Amino acid sequence: MNYQWYPGHMTKAKRMMQENIKLVDLIIELVDARIPLSSRNPDIDRLGANKSRIVLLNKSDLADPAANKRWINYFGDRGAYVLEINAKSGAGIKSVAGLVQEACREKLERDRKRGIVNRPVRAMVVGIPNVGKSTFINSFAGKACAKTGNKPGVTKGKQWIRLNRALELLDTPGILWPKFEDQAVGMRLAFIGSMNDEIIILDELACDLITVLMEKYPNALCERYGIELREKAVESLADIAESRKCYTRGETLDMEKAAAIILDDFRTGRLGRITLEEP
Ligand code: G4P
């Protein structure tokens, strides 16, 4: 199958991102902990070259805990400040504010030497669609904080969310686009549901996922569906269809229905905590 990303508004998104990056001290980049490389765009390293960086491994609840640790080391070794979080439940969110201060320590020190005190750090959240940017902003900023900016007479001002005296967050996240020209990347994005399922042939996608799981997490499918793994992914898919009683009219197995079940089970964590990429 040909995995294609939707290149819709990418030029516009990139231009906006470039403009907004100029306004901030710090970039908070969200990646999906299950595919930390495929769910980021390497251009952000160039776009944000002179800015402090925090990388948040989001959806860490769905990823392999041991792999999360390895990825924390990976990004840390490359100069970022890293945390694993679950934006949905709020786990790990409390530690972000402290990390912001750490990541911006040099800037704050420079300010202090120049006699600038109490100037808040300005940060923006970036990431590919569906990685959890809005959920994170809501969870991090909470309801208690005030919005600043857009004062009367100032048109088109940016909206900043004031988290505390030390930190302001741009209220609209920057949307990055993944490296959609790479088929392997496209496939992993499709697995996690970050590609439009309408353009995807479900049973082929499920077979690709089964193939990957057979290699990396062979027990996941056996335990969930009570099957033995077969040589070919499509045979395993048929076994799963049978064990889940997926039939079209008559006795024919409904492979598409079985595919939808596997993909949903994977995306919601029912197949276990699974990471599909290693550093
Ligand atoms: P975006 O702004 O980057 O596009 O992403 P958004 O916050 O809309 O989140 C996309 C989906 O990911 C949402 O699910 C959200 O609940 C889920 N999500 C975000 N962070 C986490 C996390 O840390 N763990 C888990 N398990 N899920 C997370 P949805 O199905 O679109 O909405 P909902 O049914 O959860 O409300």
Side-chain angles (χ1 to χ4, degrees):
M1 178 175 21
N2 196 14
Y3 291 103
Q4 278 294 343
W5 184 257
Y6 40 83
H9 306 290
M10 284 175 192
T11 319
K12 191 175 164 223
K14 187 172 176 179
R15 213 179 318 118
M16 264 186 69
M17 171 93 63
Q18 279 167 330
E19 287 304 308
N20 287 338
I21 280 179
K22 289 182 198 154
L23 305 173
V24 301
D25 309 298
L26 170 73
I27 294 171
I28 301 176
E29 182 189 3
L30 265 72
V31 299
D32 189 303
R34 295 165 294 176
I35 50 168
L37 287 188
S38 294
S39 62
R40 73 192 296 255
N41 181 303
D43 287 346
I44 189 65
D45 288 338
R46 190 174 41 76
L47 290 171
N50 304 316
K51 309 290 176 178
S52 304
R53 177 84 57 86
I54 286 179
V55 173
L56 297 178
L57 292 173
N58 192 37
K59 309 200 184 184
S60 62
D61 54 307
L62 300 173
D64 188 332
N68 288 344
K69 299 281 173 290
R70 290 192 284 275
W71 281 109
I72 286 174
N73 292 335
Y74 172 89
F75 287 111
D77 288 346
R78 279 154 188 78
Y81 291 78
V82 200
L83 263 182
E84 53 180 291
I85 62 162
N86 174 348
K88 201 168 169 178
S89 75
I93 298 288
K94 265 198 233 138
S95 309
V96 178
L99 201 65
V100 168
Q101 294 304 306
E102 242 182 89
C104 295
R105 196 186 295 136
E106 273 181 34
K107 175 206 130 52
L108 295 169
E109 187 60 22
R110 255 194 333 266
D111 278 1
R112 200 181 55 77
K113 280 189 182 145
R114 289 185 196 145
I116 305 167
V117 282
N118 294 337
R119 190 169 75 180
V121 167
R122 287 195 149 180
M124 80 182 282
V125 174
V126 307
I128 66 165
N130 207 39
V131 76
K133 297 178 295 300
S134 316
T135 311
F136 169 72
I137 290 175
N138 284 337
S139 165
F140 186 45
K143 291 189 179 71
C145 55
K147 282 199 176 182
T148 65
N150 262 5
K151 297 186 180 73
V154 184
T155 48
K156 280 201 157 183
K158 297 286 169 201
Q159 288 273 358
W160 295 93
I161 306 170
R162 178 154 218 177
L163 279 102
N164 51 48
R165 274 174 39 202
L167 178 61
E168 287 183 2
L169 198 65
L170 194 61
D171 82 333
T172 40
I175 300 170
L176 288 170
W177 53 104
K179 263 176 57 180
F180 52 89
E181 66 273 17
D182 182 332
Q183 285 291 300
V185 169
M187 184 176 78
R188 292 186 201 112
L189 290 163
F191 289 159
I192 66 166
S194 283
M195 197 179 279
N196 196 345
D197 267 351
E198 278 154 33
I199 61 162
I200 276 163
I201 303 160
L202 277 192
D203 41 357
E204 286 187 25
L205 179 65
C207 283
D208 285 343
L209 179 62
I210 290 170
T211 304
V212 173
L213 293 177
M214 277 161 66
E215 195 199 318
K216 288 179 184 284
Y217 295 88
N219 293 332
L221 295 167
C222 305
E223 281 168 15
R224 174 97 191 141
Y225 305 113
I227 56 161
E228 302 274 321
L229 285 184
R230 307 259 228 120
E231 203 173 316
K232 288 196 182 128
V234 68
E235 294 167 341
S236 291
L237 180 62
D239 288 350
I240 293 165
E242 221 172 324
S243 90
R244 286 295 145 119
K245 307 207 169 11
C246 305
Y247 295 103
T248 52
R249 256 184 235 184
E251 300 286 282
T252 322
L253 288 172
D254 188 341
M255 303 288 261
E256 203 170 311
K257 191 170 169 197
I261 290 174
I262 295 168
L263 288 165
D264 193 52
D265 283 349
F266 168 71
R267 290 170 184 173
T268 52
R270 284 192 294 266
L271 280 179
R273 297 180 64 172
I274 289 173
T275 299
L276 298 175
E277 260 175 359
E278 285 297 326

